[in-house]
Amino acid sequence: MYVCSCFGVTEAQVKRHAEDGVCTPRQIASACKAGTDCGSCVRRIQAILGRGACPRRELADQGRPVLAEVDPLDEAA
């Protein structure tokens, strides 16, 4: 089922991004543009993200760093 008809983003795609650590509608927008045009899907995205645990939020609650380390070799590529 489509969540964002403006960009053709499905619920399965949003869930896959969430499994990869995306925790907010803004992060979903950065990952696949959903929610950046008309905005009518943002509440649906929030509902999908709210269903599962957010790995980054769990790390933050534990006082651990939530951002991945940047490999200097990757930056040079």
Side-chain angles (χ1 to χ4, degrees):
M1 173 190 298
Y2 285 104
V3 172
C4 176
S5 56
C6 295
F7 293 104
V9 179
T10 65
E11 186 171 336
Q13 289 172 300
V14 172
K15 288 179 180 179
R16 260 185 266 131
H17 286 299
E19 289 169 3
D20 291 339
V22 173
C23 299
T24 67
R26 185 174 288 187
Q27 291 171 336
I28 288 289
S30 293
C32 62
K33 296 174 84 175
T36 61
D37 194 27
C38 77
S40 67
C41 60
V42 173
R43 286 184 187 239
R44 178 81 176 124
I45 292 169
Q46 287 172 324
I48 293 168
L49 294 176
R51 288 186 198 153
C54 177
R56 291 183 182 174
R57 190 171 298 126
E58 290 173 9
L59 290 173
D61 289 345
Q62 296 169 5
R64 296 171 52 198
V66 295
L67 299 176
E69 294 292 322
V70 175
D71 186 348
L73 297 176
D74 287 341
E75 271 187 18

